[in-house]
mmCIF file of all heavy atoms in Angstrom:
data_model
loop_
_atom_site.group_PDB
_atom_site.id
_atom_site.type_symbol
_atom_site.label_atom_id
_atom_site.label_comp_id
_atom_site.label_asym_id
_atom_site.label_seq_id
_atom_site.Cartn_x
_atom_site.Cartn_y
_atom_site.Cartn_z
ATOM 1 N N TYR A 1 0.828 -1.203 0.002
ATOM 2 C CA TYR A 1 0.000 0.010 0.022
ATOM 3 C C TYR A 1 0.856 1.250 0.004
ATOM 4 O O TYR A 1 0.628 2.186 -0.768
ATOM 5 C CB TYR A 1 -0.907 -0.006 1.227
ATOM 6 C CG TYR A 1 -1.645 1.293 1.397
ATOM 7 C CD1 TYR A 1 -2.765 1.662 0.598
ATOM 8 C CD2 TYR A 1 -1.242 2.231 2.368
ATOM 9 C CE1 TYR A 1 -3.424 2.835 0.727
ATOM 10 C CE2 TYR A 1 -1.952 3.438 2.526
ATOM 11 C CZ TYR A 1 -2.986 3.724 1.702
ATOM 12 O OH TYR A 1 -3.637 4.922 1.858
ATOM 13 N N ARG A 2 1.916 1.312 0.845
ATOM 14 C CA ARG A 2 2.758 2.470 0.890
ATOM 15 C C ARG A 2 3.485 2.668 -0.443
ATOM 16 O O ARG A 2 3.606 3.779 -0.953
ATOM 17 C CB ARG A 2 3.795 2.354 2.015
ATOM 18 C CG ARG A 2 3.150 2.494 3.402
ATOM 19 C CD ARG A 2 4.264 2.743 4.468
ATOM 20 N NE ARG A 2 5.129 1.600 4.599
ATOM 21 C CZ ARG A 2 4.915 0.562 5.375
ATOM 22 N NH1 ARG A 2 3.800 0.492 6.079
ATOM 23 N NH2 ARG A 2 5.810 -0.414 5.435
ATOM 24 N N ARG A 3 3.962 1.547 -1.029
ATOM 25 C CA ARG A 3 4.673 1.606 -2.298
ATOM 26 C C ARG A 3 3.800 2.125 -3.408
ATOM 27 O O ARG A 3 4.172 3.029 -4.164
ATOM 28 C CB ARG A 3 5.230 0.223 -2.658
ATOM 29 C CG ARG A 3 5.802 0.150 -4.089
ATOM 30 C CD ARG A 3 6.332 -1.215 -4.382
ATOM 31 N NE ARG A 3 6.610 -1.401 -5.784
ATOM 32 C CZ ARG A 3 7.263 -2.416 -6.310
ATOM 33 N NH1 ARG A 3 7.768 -3.309 -5.565
ATOM 34 N NH2 ARG A 3 7.460 -2.478 -7.633
ATOM 35 N N PHE A 4 2.592 1.618 -3.525
ATOM 36 C CA PHE A 4 1.654 2.067 -4.578
ATOM 37 C C PHE A 4 1.203 3.491 -4.375
ATOM 38 O O PHE A 4 1.113 4.271 -5.345
ATOM 39 C CB PHE A 4 0.462 1.132 -4.659
ATOM 40 C CG PHE A 4 0.740 -0.269 -5.138
ATOM 41 C CD1 PHE A 4 -0.162 -1.263 -4.904
ATOM 42 C CD2 PHE A 4 1.972 -0.598 -5.698
ATOM 43 C CE1 PHE A 4 0.095 -2.592 -5.304
ATOM 44 C CE2 PHE A 4 2.251 -1.882 -6.113
ATOM 45 C CZ PHE A 4 1.327 -2.879 -5.895
ATOM 46 N N THR A 5 1.016 3.850 -3.140
ATOM 47 C CA THR A 5 0.604 5.260 -2.830
ATOM 48 C C THR A 5 1.686 6.230 -3.194
ATOM 49 O O THR A 5 1.428 7.277 -3.789
ATOM 50 C CB THR A 5 0.223 5.359 -1.389
ATOM 51 O OG1 THR A 5 -0.814 4.473 -1.055
ATOM 52 C CG2 THR A 5 -0.246 6.794 -1.061
ATOM 53 N N GLU A 6 2.918 5.896 -2.839
ATOM 54 C CA GLU A 6 4.048 6.795 -3.121
ATOM 55 C C GLU A 6 4.274 6.935 -4.662
ATOM 56 O O GLU A 6 4.551 8.033 -5.155
ATOM 57 C CB GLU A 6 5.344 6.273 -2.468
ATOM 58 C CG GLU A 6 5.354 6.360 -0.979
ATOM 59 C CD GLU A 6 6.482 5.576 -0.357
ATOM 60 O OE1 GLU A 6 7.240 4.989 -1.104
ATOM 61 O OE2 GLU A 6 6.570 5.553 0.902
ATOM 62 N N ARG A 7 4.095 5.836 -5.371
ATOM 63 C CA ARG A 7 4.343 5.890 -6.836
ATOM 64 C C ARG A 7 3.166 6.480 -7.626
ATOM 65 O O ARG A 7 3.393 7.265 -8.512
ATOM 66 C CB ARG A 7 4.613 4.465 -7.339
ATOM 67 C CG ARG A 7 6.013 3.959 -6.998
ATOM 68 C CD ARG A 7 6.302 2.673 -7.745
ATOM 69 N NE ARG A 7 7.663 2.223 -7.562
ATOM 70 C CZ ARG A 7 8.190 1.135 -8.100
ATOM 71 N NH1 ARG A 7 7.445 0.429 -8.946
ATOM 72 N NH2 ARG A 7 9.425 0.783 -7.855
ATOM 73 N N TYR A 8 1.990 6.021 -7.309
ATOM 74 C CA TYR A 8 0.838 6.336 -8.197
ATOM 75 C C TYR A 8 -0.254 7.140 -7.525
ATOM 76 O O TYR A 8 -1.272 7.417 -8.151
ATOM 77 C CB TYR A 8 0.226 5.011 -8.685
ATOM 78 C CG TYR A 8 1.240 4.031 -9.166
ATOM 79 C CD1 TYR A 8 1.341 2.713 -8.652
ATOM 80 C CD2 TYR A 8 2.137 4.340 -10.181
ATOM 81 C CE1 TYR A 8 2.342 1.826 -9.098
ATOM 82 C CE2 TYR A 8 3.165 3.486 -10.620
ATOM 83 C CZ TYR A 8 3.218 2.196 -10.094
ATOM 84 O OH TYR A 8 4.177 1.309 -10.514
ATOM 85 N N GLY A 9 -0.008 7.585 -6.272
ATOM 86 C CA GLY A 9 -1.045 8.301 -5.531
ATOM 87 C C GLY A 9 -1.464 9.594 -6.154
ATOM 88 O O GLY A 9 -2.546 10.134 -5.881
ATOM 89 N N ASP A 10 -0.630 10.196 -6.967
ATOM 90 C CA ASP A 10 -0.957 11.509 -7.583
ATOM 91 C C ASP A 10 -2.020 11.375 -8.662
ATOM 92 O O ASP A 10 -2.724 12.344 -9.001
ATOM 93 C CB ASP A 10 0.342 12.098 -8.197
ATOM 94 C CG ASP A 10 1.308 12.577 -7.164
ATOM 95 O OD1 ASP A 10 0.895 12.734 -5.997
ATOM 96 O OD2 ASP A 10 2.490 12.756 -7.464
ATOM 97 N N PHE A 11 -2.172 10.203 -9.276
ATOM 98 C CA PHE A 11 -3.164 10.096 -10.332
ATOM 99 C C PHE A 11 -4.096 8.886 -10.196
ATOM 100 O O PHE A 11 -4.986 8.652 -10.993
ATOM 101 C CB PHE A 11 -2.472 10.050 -11.753
ATOM 102 C CG PHE A 11 -1.521 8.937 -11.913
ATOM 103 C CD1 PHE A 11 -1.885 7.762 -12.527
ATOM 104 C CD2 PHE A 11 -0.203 9.057 -11.524
ATOM 105 C CE1 PHE A 11 -0.975 6.717 -12.700
ATOM 106 C CE2 PHE A 11 0.734 8.036 -11.712
ATOM 107 C CZ PHE A 11 0.336 6.882 -12.284
ATOM 108 N N LEU A 12 -3.879 8.057 -9.134
ATOM 109 C CA LEU A 12 -4.779 6.940 -8.867
ATOM 110 C C LEU A 12 -5.128 6.904 -7.387
ATOM 111 O O LEU A 12 -4.277 7.201 -6.529
ATOM 112 C CB LEU A 12 -4.069 5.634 -9.263
ATOM 113 C CG LEU A 12 -3.808 5.344 -10.742
ATOM 114 C CD1 LEU A 12 -2.974 4.081 -10.902
ATOM 115 C CD2 LEU A 12 -5.089 5.267 -11.526
ATOM 116 N N ASN A 13 -6.358 6.490 -7.093
ATOM 117 C CA ASN A 13 -6.767 6.288 -5.698
ATOM 118 C C ASN A 13 -6.324 4.889 -5.249
ATOM 119 O O ASN A 13 -6.600 3.939 -5.958
ATOM 120 C CB ASN A 13 -8.281 6.419 -5.549
ATOM 121 C CG ASN A 13 -8.754 7.851 -5.819
ATOM 122 O OD1 ASN A 13 -8.077 8.816 -5.430
ATOM 123 N ND2 ASN A 13 -9.863 7.988 -6.465
ATOM 124 N N VAL A 14 -5.655 4.845 -4.123
ATOM 125 C CA VAL A 14 -5.159 3.527 -3.616
ATOM 126 C C VAL A 14 -5.782 3.305 -2.228
ATOM 127 O O VAL A 14 -5.749 4.207 -1.385
ATOM 128 C CB VAL A 14 -3.631 3.500 -3.454
ATOM 129 C CG1 VAL A 14 -3.142 2.123 -3.052
ATOM 130 C CG2 VAL A 14 -2.987 3.878 -4.805
ATOM 131 N N SER A 15 -6.368 2.130 -2.028
ATOM 132 C CA SER A 15 -7.027 1.788 -0.740
ATOM 133 C C SER A 15 -6.336 0.521 -0.142
ATOM 134 O O SER A 15 -5.678 -0.249 -0.844
ATOM 135 C CB SER A 15 -8.486 1.520 -0.933
ATOM 136 O OG SER A 15 -9.195 2.720 -1.023
ATOM 137 N N LEU A 16 -6.578 0.361 1.133
ATOM 138 C CA LEU A 16 -6.076 -0.773 1.892
ATOM 139 C C LEU A 16 -7.220 -1.502 2.551
ATOM 140 O O LEU A 16 -8.056 -0.896 3.192
ATOM 141 C CB LEU A 16 -5.082 -0.296 2.949
ATOM 142 C CG LEU A 16 -4.414 -1.368 3.866
ATOM 143 C CD1 LEU A 16 -3.521 -2.264 3.049
ATOM 144 C CD2 LEU A 16 -3.639 -0.703 4.973
ATOM 145 N N LEU A 17 -7.288 -2.827 2.375
ATOM 146 C CA LEU A 17 -8.345 -3.626 2.989
ATOM 147 C C LEU A 17 -7.716 -4.843 3.656
ATOM 148 O O LEU A 17 -7.314 -5.812 2.969
ATOM 149 C CB LEU A 17 -9.345 -4.073 1.980
ATOM 150 C CG LEU A 17 -10.542 -4.843 2.479
ATOM 151 C CD1 LEU A 17 -11.387 -3.996 3.417
ATOM 152 C CD2 LEU A 17 -11.427 -5.328 1.318
ATOM 153 N N THR A 18 -7.605 -4.801 4.952
ATOM 154 C CA THR A 18 -6.943 -5.915 5.671
ATOM 155 C C THR A 18 -7.833 -6.546 6.769
ATOM 156 O O THR A 18 -7.367 -7.290 7.545
ATOM 157 C CB THR A 18 -5.661 -5.424 6.376
ATOM 158 O OG1 THR A 18 -5.968 -4.315 7.245
ATOM 159 C CG2 THR A 18 -4.646 -4.980 5.329
ATOM 160 N N GLY A 19 -9.079 -6.175 6.758
ATOM 161 C CA GLY A 19 -9.975 -6.729 7.773
ATOM 162 C C GLY A 19 -9.848 -6.001 9.096
ATOM 163 O O GLY A 19 -9.113 -5.034 9.206
ATOM 164 N N VAL A 20 -10.517 -6.520 10.114
ATOM 165 C CA VAL A 20 -10.530 -5.864 11.420
ATOM 166 C C VAL A 20 -9.483 -6.513 12.309
ATOM 167 O O VAL A 20 -9.395 -7.740 12.420
ATOM 168 C CB VAL A 20 -11.923 -6.013 12.057
ATOM 169 C CG1 VAL A 20 -11.957 -5.359 13.423
ATOM 170 C CG2 VAL A 20 -13.022 -5.453 11.181
ATOM 171 N N SER A 21 -8.658 -5.655 12.931
ATOM 172 C CA SER A 21 -7.615 -6.168 13.852
ATOM 173 C C SER A 21 -8.281 -6.704 15.108
ATOM 174 O O SER A 21 -9.269 -6.168 15.607
ATOM 175 C CB SER A 21 -6.659 -5.060 14.205
ATOM 176 O OG SER A 21 -5.736 -5.527 15.183
ATOM 177 N N ARG A 22 -7.744 -7.765 15.636
ATOM 178 C CA ARG A 22 -8.249 -8.341 16.893
ATOM 179 C C ARG A 22 -7.777 -7.532 18.105
ATOM 180 O O ARG A 22 -8.292 -7.703 19.204
ATOM 181 C CB ARG A 22 -7.776 -9.775 17.018
ATOM 182 C CG ARG A 22 -8.436 -10.748 16.010
ATOM 183 C CD ARG A 22 -7.905 -12.141 16.086
ATOM 184 N NE ARG A 22 -6.494 -12.169 15.628
ATOM 185 C CZ ARG A 22 -5.735 -13.267 15.611
ATOM 186 N NH1 ARG A 22 -6.207 -14.393 16.077
ATOM 187 N NH2 ARG A 22 -4.522 -13.202 15.171
ATOM 188 N N ILE A 23 -6.770 -6.681 17.867
ATOM 189 C CA ILE A 23 -6.268 -5.878 19.023
ATOM 190 C C ILE A 23 -6.575 -4.418 18.687
ATOM 191 O O ILE A 23 -6.051 -3.817 17.785
ATOM 192 C CB ILE A 23 -4.757 -6.049 19.194
ATOM 193 C CG1 ILE A 23 -4.390 -7.515 19.345
ATOM 194 C CG2 ILE A 23 -4.255 -5.220 20.359
ATOM 195 C CD1 ILE A 23 -2.935 -7.784 19.406
ATOM 196 N N HIS A 24 -7.514 -3.840 19.428
ATOM 197 C CA HIS A 24 -8.006 -2.507 19.121
ATOM 198 C C HIS A 24 -7.167 -1.423 19.867
ATOM 199 O O HIS A 24 -7.562 -0.913 20.872
ATOM 200 C CB HIS A 24 -9.505 -2.384 19.475
ATOM 201 C CG HIS A 24 -10.354 -3.273 18.643
ATOM 202 N ND1 HIS A 24 -10.726 -2.993 17.363
ATOM 203 C CD2 HIS A 24 -10.897 -4.491 18.917
ATOM 204 C CE1 HIS A 24 -11.491 -3.963 16.850
ATOM 205 N NE2 HIS A 24 -11.589 -4.887 17.809
ATOM 206 N N ILE A 25 -5.980 -1.166 19.332
ATOM 207 C CA ILE A 25 -5.194 -0.095 19.837
ATOM 208 C C ILE A 25 -4.718 0.773 18.643
ATOM 209 O O ILE A 25 -4.589 0.247 17.504
ATOM 210 C CB ILE A 25 -3.975 -0.569 20.638
ATOM 211 C CG1 ILE A 25 -3.097 -1.509 19.777
ATOM 212 C CG2 ILE A 25 -4.389 -1.239 21.949
ATOM 213 C CD1 ILE A 25 -1.851 -1.957 20.485
ATOM 214 N N PRO A 26 -4.511 2.057 18.808
ATOM 215 C CA PRO A 26 -4.157 2.925 17.666
ATOM 216 C C PRO A 26 -2.966 2.408 16.869
ATOM 217 O O PRO A 26 -2.896 2.606 15.664
ATOM 218 C CB PRO A 26 -3.864 4.287 18.328
ATOM 219 C CG PRO A 26 -4.651 4.253 19.609
ATOM 220 C CD PRO A 26 -4.604 2.820 20.078
ATOM 221 N N GLU A 27 -1.972 1.833 17.574
ATOM 222 C CA GLU A 27 -0.749 1.433 16.872
ATOM 223 C C GLU A 27 -0.940 0.316 15.864
ATOM 224 O O GLU A 27 -0.142 0.090 14.967
ATOM 225 C CB GLU A 27 0.305 0.959 17.890
ATOM 226 C CG GLU A 27 0.848 2.093 18.785
ATOM 227 C CD GLU A 27 -0.059 2.432 19.914
ATOM 228 O OE1 GLU A 27 -1.112 1.782 20.051
ATOM 229 O OE2 GLU A 27 0.331 3.358 20.647
ATOM 230 N N THR A 28 -2.083 -0.438 15.976
ATOM 231 C CA THR A 28 -2.275 -1.577 15.094
ATOM 232 C C THR A 28 -2.929 -1.158 13.787
ATOM 233 O O THR A 28 -2.998 -1.934 12.840
ATOM 234 C CB THR A 28 -3.124 -2.662 15.747
ATOM 235 O OG1 THR A 28 -4.434 -2.093 16.027
ATOM 236 C CG2 THR A 28 -2.500 -3.139 17.026
ATOM 237 N N ARG A 29 -3.440 0.058 13.729
ATOM 238 C CA ARG A 29 -4.161 0.485 12.515
ATOM 239 C C ARG A 29 -3.336 1.476 11.709
ATOM 240 O O ARG A 29 -2.864 2.491 12.209
ATOM 241 C CB ARG A 29 -5.477 1.087 12.911
ATOM 242 C CG ARG A 29 -6.368 1.456 11.729
ATOM 243 C CD ARG A 29 -7.743 1.889 12.186
ATOM 244 N NE ARG A 29 -8.588 2.304 11.059
ATOM 245 C CZ ARG A 29 -9.299 1.444 10.311
ATOM 246 N NH1 ARG A 29 -9.263 0.182 10.564
ATOM 247 N NH2 ARG A 29 -10.066 1.871 9.330
ATOM 248 N N VAL A 30 -3.163 1.149 10.447
ATOM 249 C CA VAL A 30 -2.407 2.016 9.527
ATOM 250 C C VAL A 30 -3.328 3.091 9.017
ATOM 251 O O VAL A 30 -4.495 2.872 8.691
ATOM 252 C CB VAL A 30 -1.849 1.202 8.347
ATOM 253 C CG1 VAL A 30 -1.193 2.127 7.332
ATOM 254 C CG2 VAL A 30 -0.886 0.134 8.854
ATOM 255 N N ASN A 31 -2.820 4.301 9.019
ATOM 256 C CA ASN A 31 -3.624 5.462 8.470
ATOM 257 C C ASN A 31 -3.655 5.315 6.966
ATOM 258 O O ASN A 31 -2.672 5.590 6.249
ATOM 259 C CB ASN A 31 -2.938 6.764 8.897
ATOM 260 C CG ASN A 31 -3.767 7.951 8.436
ATOM 261 O OD1 ASN A 31 -4.954 7.834 8.205
ATOM 262 N ND2 ASN A 31 -3.130 9.113 8.413
ATOM 263 N N ALA A 32 -4.790 4.884 6.436
ATOM 264 C CA ALA A 32 -4.891 4.599 4.987
ATOM 265 C C ALA A 32 -6.303 4.814 4.538
ATOM 266 O O ALA A 32 -7.257 4.799 5.283
ATOM 267 C CB ALA A 32 -4.478 3.142 4.726
ATOM 268 N N ARG A 33 -6.450 5.045 3.243
ATOM 269 C CA ARG A 33 -7.729 5.114 2.568
ATOM 270 C C ARG A 33 -8.323 3.696 2.584
ATOM 271 O O ARG A 33 -7.630 2.706 2.304
ATOM 272 C CB ARG A 33 -7.558 5.618 1.151
ATOM 273 C CG ARG A 33 -8.824 5.729 0.311
ATOM 274 C CD ARG A 33 -8.460 6.120 -1.107
ATOM 275 N NE ARG A 33 -9.652 6.100 -1.978
ATOM 276 C CZ ARG A 33 -10.411 7.116 -2.246
ATOM 277 N NH1 ARG A 33 -10.100 8.326 -1.749
ATOM 278 N NH2 ARG A 33 -11.476 6.999 -3.010
ATOM 279 N N ARG A 34 -9.663 3.623 2.843
ATOM 280 C CA ARG A 34 -10.303 2.305 2.989
ATOM 281 C C ARG A 34 -11.483 2.106 2.030
ATOM 282 O O ARG A 34 -12.178 1.099 2.153
ATOM 283 C CB ARG A 34 -10.829 2.121 4.394
ATOM 284 C CG ARG A 34 -9.774 2.311 5.519
ATOM 285 C CD ARG A 34 -8.945 1.104 5.713
ATOM 286 N NE ARG A 34 -7.825 1.354 6.673
ATOM 287 C CZ ARG A 34 -7.036 0.443 7.155
ATOM 288 N NH1 ARG A 34 -7.229 -0.815 6.790
ATOM 289 N NH2 ARG A 34 -6.049 0.735 7.933
ATOM 290 N N SER A 35 -11.606 2.925 1.053
ATOM 291 C CA SER A 35 -12.747 2.820 0.108
ATOM 292 C C SER A 35 -12.637 1.603 -0.770
ATOM 293 O O SER A 35 -11.585 1.285 -1.299
ATOM 294 C CB SER A 35 -12.845 4.110 -0.707
ATOM 295 O OG SER A 35 -13.802 3.967 -1.780
ATOM 296 N N MET A 36 -13.821 0.969 -1.007
ATOM 297 C CA MET A 36 -13.829 -0.216 -1.909
ATOM 298 C C MET A 36 -14.057 0.229 -3.325
ATOM 299 O O MET A 36 -14.203 -0.614 -4.224
ATOM 300 C CB MET A 36 -14.930 -1.169 -1.474
ATOM 301 C CG MET A 36 -14.624 -1.909 -0.157
ATOM 302 S SD MET A 36 -13.108 -2.893 -0.357
ATOM 303 C CE MET A 36 -13.586 -4.146 -1.539
ATOM 304 N N LYS A 37 -14.085 1.535 -3.565
ATOM 305 C CA LYS A 37 -14.307 2.030 -4.942
ATOM 306 C C LYS A 37 -13.019 2.640 -5.497
ATOM 307 O O LYS A 37 -13.058 3.404 -6.477
ATOM 308 C CB LYS A 37 -15.419 3.047 -4.969
ATOM 309 C CG LYS A 37 -16.768 2.449 -4.605
ATOM 310 C CD LYS A 37 -17.872 3.510 -4.637
ATOM 311 C CE LYS A 37 -19.251 2.886 -4.267
ATOM 312 N NZ LYS A 37 -20.326 3.898 -4.357
ATOM 313 N N SER A 38 -11.852 2.345 -4.959
ATOM 314 C CA SER A 38 -10.589 2.897 -5.373
ATOM 315 C C SER A 38 -10.125 2.265 -6.659
ATOM 316 O O SER A 38 -10.550 1.169 -7.000
ATOM 317 C CB SER A 38 -9.576 2.764 -4.296
ATOM 318 O OG SER A 38 -9.911 3.600 -3.155
#
């Protein structure tokens, strides 16, 4: 996700879909776009 965003983020929407973490703390969640229409 980071690689694609850095390379193509200027002209393409990139999203991340990894499911729900079993450990709900801020450090486990990556700050990322989550849209299924990317």
